[in-house]
Amino acid sequence: MKIEPIGFNKERASELINSKGLDGLLLGAPENVYYATGCPTLPGTGNPILFALRNVVPSFAFIDKEGRTTLFTWFGVTFGVDFSSEVISYSDVQAAVEELKSFLKDKKRIGVDYGVPIYAINAIKENGGEVEAADEIMIQLRVIKSLKEIELLQKSARIAQDVLTNVPFVLKKGISRKDLMQEVRSLMTQFGASGIDHLTIAFGSSNPEIALEELLEENQIVTVDIGAVYEGYVSDIRRLFYTGETVPEEDRKLFETIKSIIDELQDSINPGLSFSQVYELATKLYEKNGLEPLFASAGHSIGLVTEEAHFSPGNELKVSENMVVNIELYAPNSEGIMIGDEETYLVTEKGLKKITDLERKIFTVKL
């Protein structure tokens, strides 16, 4: 069986590596190793054993100046499969270090990503080599999606939307937030997710990042922001639910304002615009609508990780065809609850094409 990467662009990789005067890139971050080689180092890409054992049998990928890839990994995953990359296998960390030292001995300037551990960097330096941060190169490679990657991202988004459509059926008076999170996990599996990226769920103004045991009450805003994983590719969609008959007018109006800002921003984004210019457009739209732009980014690109690159100040990455991006904007109501919307788009030559099609409103749920 042949294992090949889904979106890796050999020619583009070669161009970027040579533009930095590097002899190649050494990658240790699971998403980058998976991207470059197709080896299932990332949760949600088959058996997640390589991710689980990464402390004792780490995996790496090397991309040379011609864009050729070499996979360094545990020998247990090499049986019965044929990787398109060259493969160097081993049984433990020490053997991995020795293989890296031997392979890299003639390479003097090596780019490394954030996932390369200190022992691998030391191995490079012991050979007389120099290291340079190369995370930006990998972002530039990964943000432009292949047709297959776009298909997987669309599937991931569909799973998340199917889950959100069914959230009202599991919202019960007195359910704890932890129990609700477990219900949503189950829904993700039912609808075909191969993994769970995130479950950001809050009752009212509670901290959505920490799972506590609050009990759901009537007349509360429930925030559900989820990311499903499908073959490594993730979604990121948020919807709000109100546990009463009528959404408070303040929240309804604020939601409609944010929704209109997102729609206007969507219509303004075209290939060639920098990510920082998108942020600037969003801040101007907030000010135009009488809202204070208290946000660090207006959204992000999405792929093997939830947030690849932000629409934020100073980011000169250009919006390009075949990127998949999220516009994500909120504003606090009088109780400090963040009211807003998050949508996913494919960048086409003519602008943004929306991938998400779930109804955009604050859903009412009678407990």
Side-chain angles (χ1 to χ4, degrees), residues 128-146:
E130 299 177 2
V131 297
E132 182 175 322
D135 295 291
E136 189 58 36
I137 292 177
M138 292 309 300
I139 288 295
Q140 290 182 61
L141 274 174
R142 291 193 351 242
V143 292
I144 309 297
K145 304 300 188 291
S146 67

Side-chain angles (χ1 to χ4, degrees), residues 62-299:
F62 186 82
I63 310 174
D64 70 15
K65 291 192 292 186
E66 284 71 45
R68 294 173 301 211
T69 57
T70 301
L71 170 65
F72 298 79
T73 194
W74 177 46
F75 71 88
V77 300
T78 65
F79 297 125
V81 295
D82 179 19
F83 287 94
S84 60
S85 302
E86 293 296 320
V87 178
I88 296 174
S89 61
Y90 38 77
S91 59
D92 56 33
V93 172
Q94 187 55 46
V97 172
E98 294 304 316
E99 292 290 359
L100 285 172
K101 285 180 70 174
S102 176
F103 181 84
L104 299 171
K105 63 184 177 184
D106 298 323
K107 299 170 177 61
K108 298 305 178 186
R109 294 194 69 237
I110 300 172
V112 297
D113 71 6
Y114 76 92
V116 175
I118 189 65
Y119 60 75
I121 290 175
N122 286 340
I124 295 170
K125 291 181 177 179
E126 287 170 14
N127 280 340
E130 299 177 2
V131 297
E132 182 175 322
D135 295 291
E136 189 58 36
I137 292 177
M138 292 309 300
I139 288 295
Q140 290 182 61
L141 274 174
R142 291 193 351 242
V143 292
I144 309 297
K145 304 300 188 291
S146 67
L147 294 179
K148 179 62 175 177
E149 288 180 296
I150 292 168
E151 178 186 322
L152 295 176
L153 284 162
Q154 289 172 327
K155 177 64 175 177
S156 179
R158 173 49 53 198
I159 291 168
Q161 290 186 119
D162 287 343
V163 171
L164 288 167
T165 299
N166 282 271
V167 163
F169 301 112
V170 296
L171 289 177
K172 309 291 183 185
K173 186 174 182 179
I175 191 173
S176 73
R177 186 145 60 101
K178 282 188 175 180
D179 286 343
L180 177 58
M181 292 175 73
Q182 188 56 44
E183 292 282 358
V184 174
R185 285 189 184 95
S186 297
L187 286 171
M188 285 198 195
T189 302
Q190 289 176 37
F191 285 105
S194 54
I196 296 169
D197 185 74
H198 63 280
L199 289 168
T200 304
I201 296 176
F203 295 168
S205 59
S206 62
N207 182 349
E209 315 306 336
I210 305 296
L212 301 176
E213 288 282 8
E214 311 103 303
L215 302 183
L216 185 60
E217 301 173 359
E218 293 180 340
N219 304 319
Q220 278 190 314
I221 290 283
V222 179
T223 301
V224 183
D225 185 322
I226 60 173
V229 182
Y230 188 74
E231 294 188 25
Y233 288 82
V234 304
S235 49
D236 185 14
I237 304 172
R238 175 181 293 212
R239 288 296 184 268
L240 301 176
F241 303 84
Y242 182 71
T243 58
E245 293 186 359
T246 306
V247 176
E249 188 65 7
E250 175 200 5
D251 296 333
R252 188 194 66 78
K253 285 184 175 180
L254 183 53
F255 182 86
E256 290 299 321
T257 298
I258 298 296
K259 187 168 74 169
S260 70
I261 290 172
I262 289 176
D263 289 343
E264 193 167 347
L265 186 61
Q266 165 198 326
D267 293 340
S268 302
I269 298 176
N270 289 292
L273 206 63
S274 73
F275 276 40
S276 63
Q277 287 174 315
V278 173
Y279 173 85
E280 290 165 7
L281 284 171
T283 60
K284 289 176 182 177
L285 288 171
Y286 263 60
E287 291 164 354
K288 173 184 170 182
N289 284 273
L291 296 175
E292 193 170 355
L294 299 173
F295 50 86
S297 79

Side-chain angles (χ1 to χ4, degrees), residues 311-322:
F311 293 128
S312 58
N315 188 348
E316 295 311 308
L317 183 68
K318 301 294 184 182
V319 175
S320 301
E321 189 175 355
N322 290 337

Side-chain angles (χ1 to χ4, degrees), residues 323-338:
M323 284 183 174
V324 176
V325 301
N326 274 33
I327 299 178
E328 179 178 11
L329 291 170
Y330 313 103
N333 70 3
S334 58
E335 297 177 10
I337 300 169
M338 300 305 288

